[in-house]
Amino acid sequence: MKRASDRLSRVPPSATLGISARARELRAQGIDVISFGAGEPDFATPEHVVAAAARACYDLENHKYTASAGLRPLREAIAEDIRRYSGVDVDWSEVMVTNGAKQAVFQAFAALLDPGDEVLLPSPHWVTYPAGIDLAGGVTVSVPTRIEDGFKVDVESLEAAMTERTRMLVFVSPSNPTGVVYTADEARAIGEWAKANDIWVLADEIYQRLTYFTDVAPSIAAVTPRFENWVLINGVAKTYSMTGWRVGWMAGPTDIVDAANSHQSHATGNVDNVAQHAALAALRGPQDTVEEMRAAFDARRKLMFSLVSDIPGVDCVEPQGAFYVFPDVSRVLEGRWVSTDELATAILEEAGVALVPGESFGAPGHLRLSYATGDAEIERGMERIRRLIAR
Ligand code: GLU
């Protein structure tokens, strides 16, 4: 008897979440594992956010459904946040609250893609985009970038990958997994190209405020004049250390957000009512913890980048945003491991450090290490990796 559908059988489970689950399993067995796996801040959610959620629990109103697109005050706060940090004017009605930014990615693909539509995906890319594209009936067209170019895509390579079926471009800055941040000029050139070719841009801005050389990453929507075909994705997970609360959002033209909302109304209904109140407190409340966490990530970034770069045979671009380093370790593999998949397994099983192999990001030969963890862990973990490679 046929078991899982062909559609779902094609989609591998999330490698980033898989690695973290494996690290947790090993720890539960009493094994000392350091995790550079999933990008998840190790800080507690700010106290005032937790307090707002606790209060919300005791209000019976919040035991009920909300509108499937989310609470209006939260949608208004998100619209203000988008105006402030992305620099584009959106109305609250053009915002939909989702179960984490991850679901916003799925909703955006579901709302925009017809079977066979092609999506340009600069690679290395986050593990989840191809799954979302595939499940929406689209076709992923990878556009490889090179370490020599700082992992940035340009108009020439997008132009070369475009066909008459190209419908969308996924633009991520700061990037997961490379930590690359596009300048306003670079983003504008890409936005102008998309506008001229009637291509939608899904701009995933989840790491927007985690930048280390600028205050905020320039938004492609804001720097491209009179451009309207964009969908912005963001959420509270990374900025406020709220990964488990699952509150993200998408914003874009009303017809697209309405289509996505219709889908959400059937798929999940609303996001957890109490979590929406927590997200509202995060956006409206004091922002000093955001800066404190950003400063801590910056110090960890410098530490991890220098420790990774010191390993013989490793080439690494200095990350400018998010909380990942993405070294090229292909010279380390030579004659010892057949792939970075195999090397990552050896690092986990023999050195007790969880990290994600480049294969999962469409970039074999690389490893992704998250530095959203404490300094001591970074030092201990990197020493273990250094010793394993030097053996
Ligand atoms: N986005 C983070 C990562 O890439 C969290 C895990 C996930 O959702 O993929 O590690």
Side-chain angles (χ1 to χ4, degrees):
M1 186 204 194
K2 189 168 174 201
R3 313 293 291 190
S5 66
D6 295 339
R7 201 164 20 94
L8 288 192
S9 304
R10 276 201 309 270
V11 176
S14 160
T16 46
L17 296 186
I19 297 279
S20 290
R22 180 81 185 119
R24 268 197 302 272
E25 242 169 64
L26 291 171
R27 279 189 193 134
Q29 292 166 24
I31 301 168
D32 171 25
V33 173
I34 295 170
S35 184
F36 299 153
E40 175 160 46
D42 60 333
F43 300 106
T45 298
E47 179 53 36
H48 67 276
V49 174
V50 178
R55 278 194 306 278
C57 279
Y58 287 97
D59 182 345
L60 296 193
E61 209 31 52
N62 304 330
H63 299 182
K64 310 289 180 208
Y65 298 130
T66 72
S68 64
L71 291 166
R72 177 160 171 177
L74 177 57
R75 293 168 77 192
E76 287 171 348
I78 292 168
E80 267 173 44
D81 193 82
I82 291 172
R83 264 177 245 133
R84 183 172 316 130
Y85 297 109
S86 299
V88 284
D89 215 5
V90 294
D91 186 65
W92 68 271
S93 60
E94 296 166 313
V95 171
M96 181 176 90
V97 184
T98 56
N99 283 284
K102 199 169 240 181
Q103 195 202 340
V105 167
F106 267 71
Q107 303 286 74
F109 289 139
L112 280 160
L113 296 179
D114 281 315
D117 282 349
E118 293 178 0
V119 181
L120 300 179
L121 180 61
S123 74
H125 55 75
W126 179 44
V127 297
T128 286
Y129 301 123
I133 294 166
D134 190 357
L135 292 175
V139 177
T140 299
V141 176
S142 287
V143 186
T145 61
R146 304 180 324 149
I147 195 165
E148 295 83 346
D149 303 325
F151 290 121
K152 284 182 179 172
V153 78
D154 58 18
V155 166
E156 288 68 44
S157 37
L158 292 172
E159 183 79 27
M162 184 177 68
T163 73
E164 71 282 358
R165 293 305 313 257
T166 304
R167 168 90 166 142
M168 267 178 111
L169 161 70
V170 177
F171 183 79
V172 190
S173 175
S175 148
N176 172 5
T178 63
V180 152
V181 179
Y182 286 79
T183 64
D185 284 347
E186 291 162 346
R188 185 178 309 111
I190 293 170
E192 291 289 1
W193 173 84
K195 186 170 76 168
N197 289 288
D198 276 334
I199 290 172
W200 283 87
V201 172
L202 180 153
D204 187 340
E205 304 191 328
I206 190 75
Y207 298 99
Q208 165 182 69
R209 291 174 69 188
L210 288 173
T211 52
Y212 308 110
F213 295 93
T214 50
D215 286 345
V216 73
S219 175
I220 192 167
V223 297
T224 312
R226 294 176 301 285
F227 186 36
E228 284 165 6
N229 295 354
W230 44 257
V231 172
L232 301 187
I233 308 259
N234 209 327
V236 291
K238 316 290 183 181
T239 315
Y240 299 97
S241 197
M242 291 178 69
T243 47
W245 299 77
R246 308 314 297 141
V247 184
W249 53 83
M250 66 176 273
T254 318
D255 55 335
I256 305 304
V257 172
D258 285 352
N261 185 31
S262 159
H263 182 262
Q264 173 154 295
S265 72
H266 293 292
T268 67
N270 64 273
V271 172
D272 177 331
N273 198 335
V274 169
Q276 290 192 61
H277 280 88
L280 182 58
L283 295 184
R284 291 265 197 236
Q287 300 294 301
D288 45 339
T289 50
V290 175
E291 179 47 33
E292 281 160 29
M293 290 192 271
R294 199 200 60 79
F297 289 136
D298 193 19
R300 295 164 177 191
R301 177 184 72 86
K302 289 177 183 139
L303 175 65
M304 190 172 248
F305 175 62
S306 93
L307 293 173
V308 168
S309 306
D310 277 354
I311 299 178
V314 170
D315 300 303
C316 195
V317 176
E318 183 175 4
Q320 302 162 301
F323 33 55
Y324 309 105
V325 291
F326 197 66
D328 178 343
V329 294
S330 36
R331 286 188 292 140
V332 168
L333 296 178
E334 279 161 22
R336 297 180 70 192
W337 295 282
V338 295
S339 63
T340 29
D341 241 335
E342 197 180 285
L343 173 59
T345 304
I347 293 175
L348 179 60
E349 307 291 339
E350 298 168 39
V353 181
L355 40 70
V356 193
E359 283 83 350
S360 312
F361 304 98
H366 297 74
L367 295 173
R368 192 194 77 172
L369 299 86
S370 161
Y371 52 84
T373 190
D375 287 19
E377 294 289 87
I378 293 175
E379 277 174 16
R380 264 183 349 116
M382 287 310 304
E383 178 54 22
R384 290 181 184 188
I385 295 173
R386 201 190 55 72
R387 264 198 261 130
L388 179 107
I389 289 176
R391 245 195 246 159

